[in-house]
Amino acid sequence: MESTDKIKLGISACLLGQSVRYNGGHQLDHFLKDTLGRYVEYVPVCPEVECGFGVPREAFRLVGKPDRPRLMTINTKQDFTERMEEWARKRVTEIEGEGLYGFIFKGGSPSSGMERVKVYDDKGMPAKIGVGIFARIFMEHFPLTPVEEDGRLHDPVLRENFIERIFALRRMAKVSQEGNSLRAIVDFHTRNKLLIMSHSPNHLQEMGRLVANTKGSIPQRLIKRYQELLMEALKLKATAKKNTNVLMHMLGYFKKELDPSEKQEVLEIIDEYRRELIPLIVPMTLIGHFVRKYDQPYLKEQTYLNPHPLELQLRNHV
Ligand code: SF4
């Protein structure tokens, strides 16, 4: 993959090994930096350092109302909420120009945590119900941009889901860049049907209706709505049950080509996947082989067969 093809992702700077934590340390995540880092170009952001707090600095925590907590230093109890919010609002506007397809936040941080950040009440008791100040302002500003946290990305299902979304969003952005034509959105929908089906058959239907009734539509509005539905759909988990439905649907394209023993072999492998005995990569590889062998025109265009780089091994887990 050329460097110009790399997907731009925002990331909490400490996850790349930058020594920006309050105590001068970092939170290097090897998967994010070394493995995923081969396919993406990171835009590191450390809200606390960029907002003017040095390293080392006094640690912060969130205090007060869960929906609008204050950002306070722990020992000296200084309130820096307004300063951080003002900086964050300016920073997200600058980030617009970066063309980010996602953001990976450092979990638990009062500035960068995406969810379940500790908020302390007036008795000093914590509850994991808050969102870091910068993360909240980022998510409000970019509601469609995929976001995740470092810890959650160690879960193979959440990892695949996030990476699938950023690659899909980039493919979608290319449609907009290519001139917003209605034809392009219909083509995009055709190529991504099985991928969407693996996450949400209901969304697939709704999106199908949207692209089937393009007469009189304004392309920009249609693309915006389509993109909202796409991100909503892909956020839903692609379960073994949903993937099994898609695999069976694909098998239906080979009614004439496969002899009974070949068909039986595929059915057995799909069933082993459904029972979560083998990873998705196994039936996908077998069906992918038939797609190439018989040059199946519809299936060979499906992004479901190749939604992200194989080297990331995202479909190798059971
Ligand atoms: S969690 Fe956020 S604010 Fe804290 S060091 Fe990492 S990037 Fe900076």
Side-chain angles (χ1 to χ4, degrees):
M1 192 179 284
E2 298 289 326
S3 67
T4 49
D5 279 346
K6 284 189 171 181
I7 293 181
K8 264 194 179 182
L9 282 189
I11 189 166
S12 298
C14 55
L15 294 173
L16 292 182
Q18 295 186 12
S19 301
V20 286
R21 291 195 72 213
Y22 72 98
N23 58 3
H26 59 71
Q27 291 281 352
L28 175 62
D29 185 302
H30 285 288
F31 169 75
L32 297 178
K33 183 164 188 261
D34 303 327
T35 308
L36 186 57
R38 286 206 291 276
Y39 304 94
V40 302
E41 180 185 338
Y42 285 124
V43 175
V45 179
C46 176
E48 293 175 15
V49 167
E50 290 188 28
C51 186
F53 303 102
V55 181
R57 59 185 172 275
E58 189 181 343
F60 294 99
R61 69 184 185 187
L62 296 177
V63 177
K65 291 187 188 145
D67 55 337
R68 223 59 178 187
R70 316 290 304 169
L71 182 70
M72 311 277 294
T73 50
I74 296 179
N75 295 325
T76 56
K77 307 216 179 322
Q78 296 176 77
D79 187 336
F80 287 109
T81 316
E82 272 75 33
R83 177 166 156 184
M84 178 60 86
E85 286 185 344
E86 199 178 310
W87 168 83
R89 277 193 281 270
K90 224 170 102 222
R91 189 70 171 98
V92 292
T93 312
E94 285 168 17
I95 285 175
E96 273 175 20
E98 295 274 8
L100 298 186
Y101 290 109
F103 203 108
I104 300 172
F105 291 108
K106 173 74 196 91
S109 157
S111 306
S112 303
M114 184 187 99
E115 60 175 33
R116 294 171 49 78
V117 178
K118 284 182 188 164
V119 180
Y120 291 79
D121 65 16
D122 49 9
K123 293 188 185 71
M125 294 300 291
K128 284 186 169 182
I129 44 177
V131 179
I133 305 270
F134 171 66
R136 171 174 55 78
I137 289 174
F138 181 95
M139 291 189 287
E140 285 168 359
H141 197 83
F142 300 107
L144 292 185
T145 303
V147 290
E148 258 306 348
E149 287 193 337
D150 57 326
R152 286 168 50 93
L153 287 173
H154 288 258
D155 175 316
V157 176
L158 297 178
R159 178 185 287 189
E160 183 183 6
N161 183 291
F162 175 69
I163 293 173
E164 225 169 63
R165 281 185 285 148
I166 60 174
F167 276 88
L169 189 59
R170 209 267 294 265
R171 289 195 297 276
M172 185 74 220
K174 284 192 173 164
V175 172
S176 314
Q177 286 156 8
E178 281 160 13
N180 281 331
S181 82
L182 293 172
R183 181 75 245 158
I185 188 77
V186 172
D187 285 349
F188 178 92
H189 184 68
T190 305
R191 280 183 277 114
N192 287 277
K193 266 185 186 171
L194 297 186
L195 182 70
I196 301 164
M197 190 193 279
S198 70
H199 288 268
S200 173
N202 290 342
H203 279 83
L204 180 65
Q205 275 189 13
E206 189 176 348
M207 293 160 85
R209 281 195 294 272
L210 188 70
V211 298
N213 295 310
T214 55
K215 213 172 163 202
S217 301
I218 298 168
Q220 288 86 343
R221 270 198 216 152
L222 180 85
I223 287 180
K224 186 169 174 289
R225 179 65 190 137
Y226 186 89
Q227 193 167 309
E228 282 167 7
L229 289 168
L230 178 70
M231 287 297 106
E232 215 177 271
L234 298 189
K235 213 172 168 183
L236 300 169
K237 273 189 197 169
T239 59
K241 191 174 167 207
K242 288 187 243 177
N243 275 318
T244 299
N245 284 341
V246 178
L247 293 166
M248 294 298 290
H249 180 82
M250 292 171 90
L251 186 57
Y253 281 84
F254 298 104
K255 279 191 187 114
K256 290 190 192 127
E257 287 85 354
L258 300 192
D259 65 36
S261 71
E262 282 175 321
K263 196 175 168 207
Q264 187 55 31
E265 189 191 0
V266 185
L267 282 171
E268 277 168 21
I269 286 180
I270 292 177
D271 192 55
E272 282 170 19
Y273 164 71
R274 181 187 65 76
R275 290 187 288 139
E276 302 186 24
L277 300 174
I278 55 171
L280 180 58
I281 189 76
V282 181
M284 289 301 299
T285 305
L286 187 57
I287 292 185
H289 162 77
F290 290 127
V291 171
R292 285 188 300 280
K293 183 174 174 187
Y294 297 110
D295 200 25
Q296 214 301 317
Y298 171 70
L299 293 183
K300 76 177 183 188
E301 296 298 329
Q302 288 300 306
T303 55
Y304 182 68
L305 281 168
N306 196 16
H308 35 59
L310 201 59
E311 294 79 0
L312 287 171
Q313 303 185 348
L314 297 173
R315 288 173 160 177
N316 296 30
H317 60 89
V318 177

